[in-house]
């Protein structure tokens, strides 16, 4: 039994690492198509237009996938202040280093505003994902309280409500700002994904075909 459990855990970890690679390729694709100007350069209509926008749509899964993986593990772990501080320091170091490199090669001006943003990227929202993720991690111990005390039925109702309020509503009815997740760019959507991931971790049914979950 222990051998089978170890093999299952190893297989799961390998699958998640493979998923991370695919998700990173999706995010690189998003930045290439968007920031690289590919979407704007191709005229509407035609096979290239359809291909590029289909690739863009599928690549939007990238960030969601990373948050689902984080929620999968964080929902079963404990909050650590050391981890939070380390994460913030990594973000600050990277932000400051990139800024000084850009200043050095003449691609960015040296100003107080830019300098402040470089050293305080989290509170200024310089990198939206970093700010939202830090917010999610700070909320994680309280989210875990809900997850640990809720029954399976209550968790199912919760994820259905979150899906209806923040997915279906904006998809099938006129979008409302009070129900908006800012296109998935804020901590509200990350909290939704956190609960989705927690539900999968706790109640994944291995007797159901995996392609059903994928769909």
């Amino acid at each position: 039994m222990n051998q089978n459990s170890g093999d299952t855990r190893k297989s799961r970890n390998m699958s998640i690492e493979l998923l991370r690679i695919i998700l990173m390729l999706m995010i690189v694709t998003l930045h290439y198509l968007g920031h690289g100007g590919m979407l704007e350069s191709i005229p509407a209509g035609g096979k290239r237009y359809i291909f590029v926008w289909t690739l863009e749509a599928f690549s939007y899964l990238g960030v969601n996938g990373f948050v689902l993986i984080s929620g999968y593990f964080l929902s079963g772990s404990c909050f650590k202040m050391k981890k939070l501080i380390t994460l913030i320091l990594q973000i600050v170091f990277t932000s400051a280093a990139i800024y000084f490199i850009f200043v050095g090669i003449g691609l960015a001006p040296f100003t107080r505003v830019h300098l402040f943003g470089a050293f305080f990227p989290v509170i200024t929202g310089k990198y939206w994902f970093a700010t939202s993720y830090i917010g999610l991690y700070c909320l994680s111990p309280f989210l875990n309280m809900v997850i640990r005390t809720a029954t399976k039925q209550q968790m199912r109702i919760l994820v259905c409500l979150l899906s209806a309020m923040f997915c279906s509503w904006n998809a099938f009815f006129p979008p409302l700002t009070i129900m908006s997740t800012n296109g998935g760019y804020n901590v509200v959507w990350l909290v939704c994904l956190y609960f989705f991931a927690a539900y999968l971790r706790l109640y994944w049914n291995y007797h159901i075909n995996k392609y059903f979950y994928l769909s």
Side-chain angles (χ1 to χ4, degrees):
M1 181 178 293
N2 291 335
Q3 179 67 33
N4 292 337
S5 178
D7 292 342
T8 301
R9 189 179 299 107
K10 183 178 180 180
S11 176
R12 183 197 65 183
N13 292 338
M14 289 180 62
S15 298
I16 290 177
E17 290 306 314
L18 176 60
L19 177 59
R20 288 184 200 271
I21 295 173
I22 296 173
L23 294 173
M24 183 55 68
L25 289 174
M26 287 181 172
I27 293 175
V28 171
T29 300
L30 278 178
H31 285 79
Y32 177 75
L33 294 177
H35 299 295
M38 179 68 73
L39 297 176
E40 298 177 354
S41 64
I42 299 179
K47 294 182 179 179
R48 290 184 62 193
Y49 179 83
I50 295 174
F51 172 77
V52 167
W53 277 100
T54 300
L55 188 61
E56 171 83 356
F58 275 102
S59 296
Y60 262 102
L61 296 170
V63 174
N64 290 340
F66 271 112
V67 179
L68 284 171
I69 291 174
S70 296
Y72 184 90
F73 289 107
L74 287 177
S75 61
S77 62
C78 298
F79 176 86
K80 297 179 180 178
M81 181 59 69
K82 182 180 178 180
K83 182 177 180 179
L84 175 63
I85 295 174
T86 301
L87 182 58
I88 293 176
L89 290 178
Q90 288 176 345
I91 296 170
V92 171
F93 176 80
T94 304
S95 173
I98 292 174
Y99 175 66
F100 283 121
I101 290 173
F102 273 52
V103 170
I105 60 180
L107 293 179
F110 186 78
T111 65
R112 290 182 179 180
V113 174
H114 287 87
L115 187 64
F116 183 84
F119 278 94
F120 298 94
V122 175
I123 63 174
T124 59
K126 183 178 181 181
Y127 305 111
W128 76 266
F129 184 79
T131 301
S132 295
Y133 187 83
I134 291 296
L136 178 68
Y137 189 74
C138 291
L139 291 173
S140 63
F142 305 99
L143 302 178
N144 288 345
M145 289 181 187
V146 176
I147 294 167
R148 289 166 185 161
T149 57
T151 64
K152 180 179 180 180
Q153 182 66 18
Q154 289 170 334
M155 282 293 293
R156 183 179 298 168
I157 293 173
L158 176 61
V159 296
C160 288
L161 277 175
L162 292 175
S163 297
M165 293 170 64
F166 298 109
C167 298
S168 302
W169 195 319
N170 289 327
F172 299 105
F173 300 98
L176 299 176
T177 55
I178 56 176
M179 288 294 181
S180 174
T181 59
N182 191 29
Y185 289 91
N186 62 26
V187 72
V188 174
W189 178 239
L190 268 60
V191 168
C192 294
L193 291 171
Y194 192 94
F195 281 120
F196 297 159
Y199 185 86
L200 290 176
R201 182 181 65 83
L202 292 171
Y203 305 114
W204 178 283
N205 190 339
Y206 291 93
H207 298 292
I208 298 177
N209 192 298
K210 60 185 178 181
Y211 295 106
F212 173 80
Y213 282 109
L214 181 62
S215 65

